[in-house]
Amino acid sequence: MTTESNQPYESYQSDVAALRERIDRGDTDAADELIELAAEQSDMGELRRLSETGNSTATDQLIELATEQDDLTELRRLADQGNTTAAEVLAELVDE
């Protein structure tokens, strides 16, 4: 039984799956579309997954989202991996 409240989530998951399939087939535009969609949905897990593949745009979006959410743990994780932008943002947030 599907409730209306699950439909947006299910639709999002369907879109993510379709974009992942396109990425797997080598569609470079699909990665950009997935990053945009994940950022719009505040999906840190998906952005993290894309970031870990070396996608710098996903990393930038992940830093932006973590900053908006005051997620110091995520910023620390990225900074510990050597991301200077995350380190700078983290330092600014800690100084506030």
Side-chain angles (χ1 to χ4, degrees):
M1 179 159 119
T2 303
T3 63
E4 283 186 32
S5 63
N6 286 338
Q7 287 178 343
Y9 176 77
E10 290 172 0
S11 176
Y12 170 69
Q13 290 303 314
S14 176
D15 291 345
V16 167
L19 288 167
R20 284 181 181 170
E21 286 178 23
R22 287 176 50 201
I23 291 168
D24 289 345
R25 290 192 308 264
D27 184 343
T28 55
D29 292 334
D32 292 336
E33 291 175 39
L34 182 53
I35 291 165
E36 183 177 338
L37 180 62
E40 288 172 0
Q41 296 295 314
S42 300
D43 186 347
M44 291 186 78
E46 188 64 31
L47 290 171
R48 189 178 303 116
R49 188 186 74 75
L50 292 162
S51 173
E52 289 171 356
T53 68
N55 188 308
S56 61
T57 303
T59 303
D60 292 343
Q61 287 297 312
L62 184 57
I63 292 168
E64 186 175 320
L65 185 58
T67 302
E68 289 171 5
Q69 296 181 357
D70 290 326
D71 188 338
L72 301 181
T73 302
E74 185 64 26
L75 291 169
R76 250 185 226 104
R77 186 186 73 78
L78 291 165
D80 288 348
Q81 291 177 351
N83 187 292
T84 55
T85 303
E88 291 168 0
V89 170
L90 181 62
E92 289 175 19
L93 290 175
V94 170
D95 285 343
E96 290 181 353

